[in-house]
mmCIF file of all heavy atoms in Angstrom:
data_model
loop_
_atom_site.group_PDB
_atom_site.id
_atom_site.type_symbol
_atom_site.label_atom_id
_atom_site.label_comp_id
_atom_site.label_asym_id
_atom_site.label_seq_id
_atom_site.Cartn_x
_atom_site.Cartn_y
_atom_site.Cartn_z
ATOM 1 N N ASP A 483 131.193 85.180 119.504
ATOM 2 C CA ASP A 483 131.265 84.504 118.218
ATOM 3 C C ASP A 483 130.908 85.464 117.104
ATOM 4 O O ASP A 483 129.923 86.201 117.190
ATOM 5 C CB ASP A 483 130.311 83.305 118.265
ATOM 6 C CG ASP A 483 130.433 82.432 117.027
ATOM 7 O OD1 ASP A 483 131.569 82.385 116.490
ATOM 8 O OD2 ASP A 483 129.419 81.867 116.597
ATOM 9 N N LYS A 484 131.689 85.494 116.036
ATOM 10 C CA LYS A 484 131.450 86.328 114.852
ATOM 11 C C LYS A 484 131.490 87.823 115.148
ATOM 12 O O LYS A 484 130.791 88.634 114.499
ATOM 13 C CB LYS A 484 130.137 85.964 114.158
ATOM 14 C CG LYS A 484 130.068 84.511 113.695
ATOM 15 C CD LYS A 484 128.993 84.319 112.629
ATOM 16 C CE LYS A 484 128.990 82.948 112.033
ATOM 17 N NZ LYS A 484 128.571 81.862 112.989
ATOM 18 N N MET A 485 132.296 88.206 116.118
ATOM 19 C CA MET A 485 132.443 89.625 116.465
ATOM 20 C C MET A 485 133.109 90.374 115.262
ATOM 21 O O MET A 485 134.079 89.866 114.709
ATOM 22 C CB MET A 485 133.297 89.759 117.709
ATOM 23 C CG MET A 485 133.516 91.159 118.181
ATOM 24 S SD MET A 485 134.344 91.121 119.812
ATOM 25 C CE MET A 485 135.930 91.782 119.382
ATOM 26 N N TYR A 486 132.567 91.504 114.930
ATOM 27 C CA TYR A 486 133.114 92.291 113.790
ATOM 28 C C TYR A 486 133.355 93.742 114.220
ATOM 29 O O TYR A 486 132.537 94.325 114.930
ATOM 30 C CB TYR A 486 132.139 92.241 112.594
ATOM 31 C CG TYR A 486 132.568 93.177 111.527
ATOM 32 C CD1 TYR A 486 133.627 92.850 110.664
ATOM 33 C CD2 TYR A 486 131.980 94.451 111.380
ATOM 34 C CE1 TYR A 486 134.057 93.754 109.688
ATOM 35 C CE2 TYR A 486 132.417 95.352 110.412
ATOM 36 C CZ TYR A 486 133.452 94.966 109.568
ATOM 37 O OH TYR A 486 133.898 95.890 108.620
ATOM 38 N N LYS A 487 134.478 94.286 113.802
ATOM 39 C CA LYS A 487 134.714 95.712 114.061
ATOM 40 C C LYS A 487 135.468 96.289 112.876
ATOM 41 O O LYS A 487 136.102 95.572 112.092
ATOM 42 C CB LYS A 487 135.558 95.903 115.327
ATOM 43 C CG LYS A 487 136.954 95.339 115.270
ATOM 44 C CD LYS A 487 137.722 95.661 116.522
ATOM 45 C CE LYS A 487 139.177 95.258 116.447
ATOM 46 N NZ LYS A 487 139.440 93.831 116.184
ATOM 47 N N ARG A 488 135.426 97.603 112.772
ATOM 48 C CA ARG A 488 136.306 98.267 111.809
ATOM 49 C C ARG A 488 137.651 98.472 112.457
ATOM 50 O O ARG A 488 137.747 98.666 113.676
ATOM 51 C CB ARG A 488 135.704 99.630 111.387
ATOM 52 C CG ARG A 488 134.785 99.501 110.194
ATOM 53 C CD ARG A 488 134.262 100.827 109.747
ATOM 54 N NE ARG A 488 135.293 101.706 109.211
ATOM 55 C CZ ARG A 488 135.054 102.771 108.445
ATOM 56 N NH1 ARG A 488 133.796 103.041 108.098
ATOM 57 N NH2 ARG A 488 136.042 103.551 108.028
ATOM 58 N N ASN A 489 138.718 98.409 111.658
ATOM 59 C CA ASN A 489 140.046 98.529 112.214
ATOM 60 C C ASN A 489 140.671 99.879 111.998
ATOM 61 O O ASN A 489 141.832 100.132 112.359
ATOM 62 C CB ASN A 489 140.977 97.451 111.614
ATOM 63 C CG ASN A 489 140.465 96.070 112.008
ATOM 64 O OD1 ASN A 489 140.452 95.762 113.179
ATOM 65 N ND2 ASN A 489 140.018 95.294 111.045
ATOM 66 N N ASP A 490 139.856 100.804 111.437
ATOM 67 C CA ASP A 490 140.456 102.104 111.051
ATOM 68 C C ASP A 490 139.664 103.301 111.631
ATOM 69 O O ASP A 490 139.632 104.359 111.013
ATOM 70 C CB ASP A 490 140.511 102.220 109.528
ATOM 71 C CG ASP A 490 139.107 102.183 108.911
ATOM 72 O OD1 ASP A 490 138.140 101.823 109.593
ATOM 73 O OD2 ASP A 490 138.985 102.558 107.717
ATOM 74 N N ILE A 491 139.016 103.084 112.782
ATOM 75 C CA ILE A 491 138.318 104.215 113.407
ATOM 76 C C ILE A 491 139.369 105.276 113.778
ATOM 77 O O ILE A 491 140.340 104.971 114.440
ATOM 78 C CB ILE A 491 137.524 103.758 114.657
ATOM 79 C CG1 ILE A 491 136.490 102.690 114.288
ATOM 80 C CG2 ILE A 491 136.857 104.980 115.331
ATOM 81 C CD1 ILE A 491 135.487 103.055 113.229
ATOM 82 N N GLY A 492 139.142 106.488 113.294
ATOM 83 C CA GLY A 492 140.092 107.571 113.612
ATOM 84 C C GLY A 492 141.370 107.496 112.810
ATOM 85 O O GLY A 492 142.319 108.224 113.093
ATOM 86 N N LYS A 493 141.427 106.659 111.789
ATOM 87 C CA LYS A 493 142.695 106.535 111.019
ATOM 88 C C LYS A 493 143.003 107.843 110.280
ATOM 89 O O LYS A 493 144.200 108.162 110.110
ATOM 90 C CB LYS A 493 142.515 105.397 109.995
ATOM 91 C CG LYS A 493 143.801 105.042 109.286
ATOM 92 C CD LYS A 493 144.030 103.541 109.318
ATOM 93 C CE LYS A 493 145.477 103.162 108.976
ATOM 94 N NZ LYS A 493 145.773 103.357 107.537
ATOM 95 N N ALA A 494 141.956 108.583 109.916
ATOM 96 C CA ALA A 494 142.215 109.857 109.248
ATOM 97 C C ALA A 494 143.122 110.739 110.062
ATOM 98 O O ALA A 494 143.787 111.630 109.546
ATOM 99 C CB ALA A 494 140.867 110.586 108.998
ATOM 100 N N LEU A 495 143.161 110.482 111.359
ATOM 101 C CA LEU A 495 143.986 111.330 112.250
ATOM 102 C C LEU A 495 145.460 111.110 112.007
ATOM 103 O O LEU A 495 146.295 111.952 112.336
ATOM 104 C CB LEU A 495 143.657 111.012 113.702
ATOM 105 C CG LEU A 495 142.178 111.122 114.076
ATOM 106 C CD1 LEU A 495 141.938 110.546 115.452
ATOM 107 C CD2 LEU A 495 141.742 112.573 114.014
#
Side-chain angles (χ1 to χ4, degrees):
D483 187 31
K484 300 199 174 68
M485 182 171 111
Y486 171 77
K487 64 176 186 302
R488 271 183 66 161
N489 296 298
D490 63 346
I491 301 303
K493 188 130 196 288
L495 305 170

